[in-house]
Amino acid sequence: MKIDELTALELAAAIKAKKISVSEAVSAYINKIEKNDRQFNAFLAVTKENALLRAEEIQSRIDKGETISPLAGVPVALKDNISIKGVENTCASKMLSNYKPVYNATIVDKLESAGMITIGKVNMDEFALGGSSETGVFGAVHNPWDVSRVTGGSSGGSAAAIAAGEAPIALGSDTGGSIRQPCSFCNVTGIKPTYGSVSRYGIVAFASSLDQAGPMGQNAEDCAALLSIISGPDGKDSACIIEKPFEFGSLDVKGFKIGLPRNYFEGGMAAGIDEDVKTKVLAAAKEFEAAGAVVTDFEMPFMDYMIPVYCIIGSAEVSSNLAKFDGLKYGYRSPNAKSLSDVYRLSRSEGFGLEAKRRIMLGSFVLSSGYYDAFYSKALKARALIKNAYDKLFKQFDMILSPVAPTTAYKIGENIDDPMKMYMGDIYTVSINLAGLPAIALPCGFDRQGLPVGFELIGDIFSENKLINAARAFQQRTDYHSKKPGAKS
């Protein structure tokens, strides 16, 4: 039994059955990270000592017959914007180099209560600002399917760790597709939960009205188990409005009404979709029809406005959220500063990377006097229209099936100097965050170069159970999610 070939739930079951010890599981993954991660650059820190000590503690509890959780003893990797007390939380930025939080994020406390073992922090785009996991100060994350290509962003380290077999399961965050796009590029499954279902306390903010942490794993079952652990109310996050953690029951997808937006596949803003991506996603729709679902095409409204609205609102919020990094209270302070003005100017210009600066400047512009009404105020109104459009669609459909990204993983450095092309890579994902909706991304095949293709199912608020069941049904009928890098597709 090779530990790194087990799903998270299979590993937990083997631990519970005493076929594998928690320490063996943790050591197997840490050893693999130390041996292989140089080529992927997925991990920024490995918490080896703490993980092994905690493994002994959890093993003792399991040996005593305690019921902890379905994922007790399972190692988990965390995106480096999620706070763990005493562990560096850099957000892949020079601005937060050597910063160690003095508290845990709420979701970390929940992982610990569930008996899971944090084995390290994984790489990302700087402050989650990017779509390729290239903008971080520690260098690009390399895709295990082809190390010359990107993993998608900003949770690229989480996806790469799972795809490379360096972690059985991971947490990422999703502001405009940052869980789902890396899943598509790396043949991984992931959930962007309903806004307000998972606490954001202790997660470094990008855009507070859009950010949502979520699980990434090898299949929908693993993701559902982890989402059940991290979801639920939290008094430390006023936006966390869910009343209790998710519980996932069994539903038959027969009769599910699935909408297929025809303008996502041809013309206009969809003109850049790869033919292989289009073919594989439409084939996934046919698979649902074969399972008994009713698939109906429709015209998605406001498609031309989704990227502009997201860029304006996201940049405005990141400009506000990153204003606190001024070289005074914490974070990077320039050694070249000779005055208070120098501290502000030099610390921010030296501490932030190019993409962070670009979005801060755009956000400051759209919030400035004279431009607020022309840009930011209009974007908020357009956001409301997008949400209302989804509300109407979910009176017709149980869920919507969509591509995750218009292309498969591209070469590292290929698009980094073309911000508009990078932003357009989020054309299918940003509206879900703008509307606060849940979505699950999962593999549906490979292009002619052998690179993974993914699709997403989008649901109404708090409809995660339907999405999980639909994803489960698809993965029971197909084996794309079980393919590993190096294996023939």
Side-chain angles (χ1 to χ4, degrees), residues 205-223:
F206 163 2
S208 301
S209 73
L210 304 171
D211 297 340
Q212 192 64 84
M216 302 168 72
Q218 299 173 62
N219 57 34
E221 297 279 7
D222 282 1
C223 290

Side-chain angles (χ1 to χ4, degrees), residues 48 52 114:
K48 182 175 181 178
L52 291 173

Side-chain angles (χ1 to χ4, degrees), residues 463-475:
S463 67
E464 276 81 347
N465 194 35
K466 283 185 179 180
L467 298 179
I468 289 290
N469 277 277
R472 182 188 292 131
F474 183 83
Q475 293 185 334

